[in-house]
Amino acid sequence: GALRWTFHTIPHPGEAGHETWESGVRLTGAGNVWSTITADLARGLVFLPVSTPSPDYFGGDRLGDDLYTDSVVALDAATGARRWHFQTVHHDTWDLDLACPPVLCTVRHEGKEIDAAVQVSKTGFVYVLDLQQPTLNGSEF
């Protein structure tokens, strides 16, 4: 099939999030998705578990928050538009990226059923992201 859209995990100039990379974007590589992408057919979303930007163990050439890397990024499957993201590590220099895809499930909390994306990280944290009413990184979807 033909290419329908592209999402830059390291935003290009003029793209949302580029301003969070204070310097050195042109010297940075990776920020890729080397694990599996999760699809939510009911919501029309795909979830990207984005890796650490390279070089993994030196951040001197990529000052800033390195937005979208070390993040779960939810994109509209039809357009590639970012719906929301949740960054687990800001400016990672220890290769603590997301090594596995998020798992979609329903959890019961205080008597309510909640659709969630569950993301495990290399830091040992398990993030349970509410898909019904999230506000993640200041962006609602």
Side-chain angles (χ1 to χ4, degrees):
L3 180 64
R4 297 183 92 176
W5 52 264
T6 300
F7 179 81
H8 297 116
T9 59
I10 300 174
H12 291 192
E15 294 179 342
H18 180 74
E19 70 282 356
T20 69
W21 293 75
E22 294 175 19
S23 67
V25 173
R26 67 187 185 343
L27 301 175
T28 303
N32 57 349
V33 176
W34 61 268
S35 183
T36 306
I37 295 172
T38 300
D40 183 341
L41 301 179
R43 289 181 177 80
L45 297 174
V46 291
F47 299 90
L48 313 179
V50 182
S51 72
T52 302
S54 63
D56 291 358
Y57 301 106
F58 177 71
D61 288 332
R62 52 178 174 82
L63 302 177
D65 291 336
D66 301 347
L67 194 62
Y68 307 140
T69 58
D70 293 286
S71 296
V72 177
V73 180
L75 302 177
D76 184 292
T79 66
R82 186 189 69 83
R83 294 282 195 86
W84 58 266
H85 71 281
F86 179 79
Q87 190 173 45
T88 60
V89 179
H90 301 294
H91 193 76
D92 187 0
T93 56
W94 294 98
D95 194 28
L96 296 174
D97 58 359
L98 302 176
C100 63
V103 174
L104 303 180
C105 64
T106 302
V107 296
R108 182 173 286 283
H109 179 68
E110 296 179 352
K112 290 182 168 179
E113 301 246 326
I114 300 170
D115 292 334
V118 178
Q119 180 66 60
V120 177
S121 72
K122 287 182 181 177
T123 59
F125 290 113
V126 177
Y127 299 94
V128 180
L129 307 172
D130 183 343
L131 296 179
Q132 294 175 1
Q133 299 196 24
T135 300
L136 303 172
N137 294 55
S139 176
E140 292 185 35
F141 76 101

